Amino acid sequence: PRRSRRRKSIAIAYEPGQGDGAEPQRPRWEPRDWREQLERIREMRRSRDAPVDEMGVQKCYDTSAPPQVMRYQVLLALMLSSQTKDQVTSAAMLRLRQHGLTVDTVLQMDDETLGQIIYPVGFWRNKVKYIKQTTAILKQKYGGDIPSTVEELVQLPGVGPKMAHLAMHIAWDSVAGIAVDTHVHRISNRLQWVKKETKNPEETRVALEEWLPRDLWKEINWLLVGFGQQTCLPVNPRCSQCLNQDICPAAKRL
């Protein structure tokens, strides 16, 4: 009897947020109204017509390419996308693919040619350097493929945590964490989806992963990026058009 009681209490303790006995055993913080806010954001994103939907990284690679080439193209698109609008990244990736975008073609390309192809992505000169360095590492260490862990991905030149988590999502179909960019960071703070204000996307990622159910981790980036591009803008957010205006802590101040 003692063993079965113990087993029951463990099941309740780890069950995600349901069951009469769960709350006292797992006093987990979660934001007020977050489920309703999330549902309303889903409603606002239902048409899937934001730039991220039409020209985001998940649309930039050749789906008919061999899996290894596809994964490499995903990583390159992510590297190009940093501090660059989706439209510009998409156009640069299209030009690269017209040159035959593989590890070997990039290694054979001189820096000037690569720079001309990816211009005008943000910080294109640095990205030429990072792309060449990373591609050489992929060829030497990974047989032309990309690493399959966040820990290895962030070791590559020019690859940060957000890119690594998105690479895991898109290239490997694996959810290792939440991909947090400036949109997710900004909106999470406006909605107070963090216990206290966070200073950067990486702090926001850690804060969100503490409470957000894991089955939402993959969806949340796509959802909030598009919402941030269309409604919850960095400057002059369109609160009057937002379904969350009555339950958003920031809407009252903006």
Side-chain angles (χ1 to χ4, degrees):
R2 188 182 306 161
R3 184 179 298 168
S4 66
R5 275 201 302 272
R6 187 183 300 126
R7 193 180 299 126
K8 185 179 180 183
S9 69
I10 289 172
I12 292 170
Y14 288 95
E15 200 163 22
Q18 295 179 24
D20 293 337
E23 285 307 313
Q25 296 189 41
R26 44 194 302 277
R28 188 179 62 119
W29 179 87
E30 59 180 44
R32 182 180 175 183
D33 299 325
W34 75 269
R35 291 183 187 277
E36 191 169 359
Q37 290 165 342
L38 180 65
E39 238 2 272
R40 293 180 184 185
I41 292 171
R42 282 186 179 133
E43 176 61 27
M44 288 183 279
R45 293 281 288 114
R46 199 164 51 144
S47 59
R48 294 174 177 257
D49 55 0
V52 69
D53 301 307
E54 297 167 356
M55 289 166 282
V57 167
Q58 78 282 358
K59 298 282 190 179
C60 287
Y61 62 88
D62 181 3
T63 55
S64 65
Q68 186 168 307
V69 174
M70 179 208 75
R71 289 190 286 267
Y72 174 64
Q73 292 184 0
V74 168
L75 184 62
L76 242 62
L78 287 165
M79 293 175 75
L80 293 175
S81 71
S82 174
Q83 296 184 289
T84 302
K85 289 186 181 299
D86 288 328
Q87 298 92 320
V88 178
T89 301
S90 177
M93 281 297 293
L94 186 60
R95 292 192 297 272
L96 279 169
R97 284 169 55 189
Q98 287 167 349
H99 284 73
L101 183 51
T102 67
V103 164
D104 290 330
T105 58
V106 169
L107 288 176
Q108 290 160 12
M109 205 178 286
D110 62 71
D111 290 6
E112 185 179 353
T113 302
L114 181 56
Q116 288 171 350
I117 295 172
I118 69 170
Y119 180 84
V121 298
F123 303 97
W124 63 273
R125 288 186 179 86
N126 285 337
K127 288 177 184 176
V128 166
K129 181 177 67 177
Y130 293 145
I131 287 170
K132 279 305 198 67
Q133 290 172 348
T134 285
T135 305
I137 292 169
L138 298 180
K139 175 80 170 177
Q140 294 158 12
K141 191 173 177 182
Y142 298 98
D145 210 337
I146 73 170
S148 58
T149 68
V150 169
E151 292 73 22
E152 291 173 292
L153 283 162
V154 294
Q155 296 300 314
L156 298 169
V159 178
K162 179 209 76 171
M163 297 180 211
H165 285 294
L166 277 175
M168 293 299 294
H169 293 184
I170 301 168
W172 291 111
D173 194 26
S174 173
V175 181
I178 299 170
V180 177
D181 71 345
T182 54
H183 294 292
V184 179
H185 171 61
R186 176 179 74 256
I187 294 164
S188 296
N189 277 274
R190 283 180 177 172
L191 290 172
Q192 291 182 8
W193 282 8
V194 289
K195 269 188 193 177
K196 58 180 183 178
E197 189 175 354
T198 50
K199 297 183 178 68
N200 55 59
E202 188 58 11
E203 281 188 13
T204 302
R205 180 187 68 79
V206 173
L208 286 174
E209 287 178 6
E210 284 180 358
W211 67 268
L212 189 70
R214 198 179 178 94
D215 61 342
L216 299 175
W217 286 13
K218 188 172 183 177
E219 177 192 22
I220 210 72
N221 175 272
W222 164 80
L223 209 54
L224 295 190
V225 169
F227 179 54
Q229 290 175 335
Q230 293 183 307
T231 307
C232 199
L233 307 176
V235 181
N236 300 322
R238 297 167 179 160
C239 295
S240 62
Q241 300 172 21
C242 182
L243 298 179
N244 277 324
Q245 59 180 301
D246 61 325
I247 53 172
C248 173
K252 300 174 178 65
R253 299 195 299 271
L254 293 167

